[in-house]
Amino acid sequence: MMKTSVIGFPRIGKLRELKFATEKYFRSEISQGELLKTAKELRKAHWLMQKSAGIDWIPSGDFSFYDQMLDMCMLFNVIPSEYQALGLDALDTYFAMARGYQGKDGDVKALAMKKWMNTNYHYLVPEFSDETEIRLVGTAPFDMYQEAKADQIETKPVLIGAFTFLKLAKYRGKKGPQDFLLAIAKAYGDILERFHEQGVQWVQFDEPILVTDLSAADVWLFVTLYQKILAQKGSVQVLLQTYFGDVRDVYSEIIKLDFDGIGLDFLEGKQNMALLKQQGFPKEKVLFAGLINGKNIWRCNYKKVLEQLKGLRQYVDSIVLGTSCSLLHVPYTLENEEKLQADIRLYFSFAKEKLKELAELKQLASLADPSQERAWIENEKIFATLANSRDAKVQAQVAALTESDFVRPVLRATRKQIQQEKLQLPLLPTTTIGSFPQTQAVKKNRTKYRKGEITKEMYDQEVYRLIADCIRLQEEIGLDVLVHGEYERNDMVEFFGENLAGYIFTEKAWVQSYGTRCVKPPIIFGDVKRIRPITVSYSKYAQSLTDQPVKGMLTGPVTILNWSFSREDISQKEMAFQIALAIRDEVADLVAAGLKVIQIDEAALKEKLPIRKEDWYRDYLDWAILAFRLCHAHTPPDIQIHTHMCYSEFEAIIQDIDKMDADVISFEASRSKLEILDGLVKEHFQTAVGPGVYDIHSPRVPSTEEMVQTLENMLEKLPAKQLWVNPDCGLKTRGISETTTALKNLVTAAQTVRSALK
Ligand code: GLN
Ligand code: ZN
């Protein structure tokens, strides 16, 4: 009978137990021992769940306290000296690398954080220096394997592979990936030796970088690494796991190497099937076929999967059925959703439910005629009755769009003058990205409303009170362009979705974004349309309290789309345009309400840039940039449009970002270096820019001097006229006192630099 495999399971727990325990530990409310205990219980629960679902290859080591790349750093001694110098124990050193550290033992920034391929999961970027000595120093993978074994569960240890680890790292010194080749190959070899001693049967090395565009040198590095590593595998069987795309640049090499299993994604991996047909699949190897979507929440279509399996069987003898990627990217279980209507619920499958799908498919695949089985019949019925809400008017509106809907008639340079006359901002204007700390008062208000303890009016009254406080605080701090604080939303997408037809919400469908931060993406179920004004009353009220300009704060269509679970029956472009039309209505209402500055966040624009360069425009940018422009093309020239992107790595698409035609863009720049600014100069970037001068993903408060220095560095590259001063993202996850100090320092830094310029 065909077997099943899981690449990875969500670690946060059914009700985010890991998040809460970890945060308590950060606040010193529980001991390290208590945190370890919670972690252990979660691992056990997840193993048992998979075992009872009948999964054949159950992963261990997919658990992590913060991030799996950071786990590899600990395992291999890739710990920059400044963290070692703190003299903390292993787990606290680990958290110091993840979050930065400020205390009596020292003051160190966190490691850089980046998006994991094309997902909204973030990994920590390993940092190699010329002194880095890679050695196997950790024991976590062995301990976890043993831990499962003690519960009679045979697991498949999962680790990030050597190639991906080296390719995603940052190199501070002269040495590059190839200089660490021997050391890293030895360290992985040592791991295999230990697994061999432990009697491990299969190990999984995750190599998602194999689905990116690779150079000949990359392929050489990959092949050389694995020739060395696999020579030490002993009796352990090695699965090379890829996901998020196809392996066109290395398939011919992969099948020659001594892997025992090859994991391919047949959903995002467009060419995997063709590669297999053209080049064949070695008889002695096992194909781990990723056929169930690990990234989306829809039920899988059994008929389709069985057909795909049949196709694969023509070329492959030994097939294991699996998900396309780790289940980390979908919520834990549908069981938590009590409010979801029964007729809608049918269409969904979260991580736990996907285990059941794997098990059912395993059964069905073994039958000559599965069509009489209950599981098959039920599944077929679901797909025969898919009836999501259609809106002919919205569809017609999208179809009728013309060029003028995408072009702001007055040029940016002219707009700049018009806006400056109206806004009268100083050089190096200061602002924030939108949200202010979500204090206890903010959360309490939301909880009370959600539980029905207060009415919408009472809820809004409290939001207004918070807005008033926030405006006063910002005036006191001395910021130039103010925000209302975003107290009415705890999530920048869900809040908008709640006011859009076509959206469905979950109660507890959390997905890990980074560390203990989870997001709850809403689901696009039907055609999207704005039901009512969304932010207007809050922004209007905030503006009424001050003479300073207040920025209206919206989420852009591409981000709303990228951070939702989206439909599979219409195109991404179609969905993005529908959402953009809704945001366009909101922009118009904000303008009518007297807002002079409007920010349309595209935090996640870069995130879904296709992995392969040849797909960038055709599959994505061609419509994504247009969707953004659709939101603001009709705005009068004196309204200043801002946008914000969470990550600064847009070197390769600088011109496309400029084509969004915003007046100002802010982005993250404090955790990564300022190379992006060179790119902006080189490409003659026209949009004014606010590269973040401090890292809000860490509780550390930067000093005035530090930010003065940052600004001076920026001014070496960019003209003062083009520069804004702001943190690198919204402040919602921070505490109020650290935020106040940091912002005061920021304003003082801007003033200092400003007066030096005069
Ligand atoms: N305006 C949003 C905020 O400040 C932007 C958040 C984000 O970029 N992720 O919270
Ligand atoms: Zn951001």
Side-chain angles (χ1 to χ4, degrees), residues 98-101 108-110 514 671 694-701 733-734 738:
R99 314 168 66 227
Y101 182 88
V108 195
K109 285 194 196 183
Y514 68 88
R671 265 199 184 197
Y694 91 82
D695 173 14
I696 67 89
H697 300 90
S698 150
R700 185 180 168 275
V701 174
T733 58
R734 296 272 63 92
E738 70 199 50

Side-chain angles (χ1 to χ4, degrees), residues 43 213 632:
R43 287 193 292 266
D213 294 320
H632 72 85

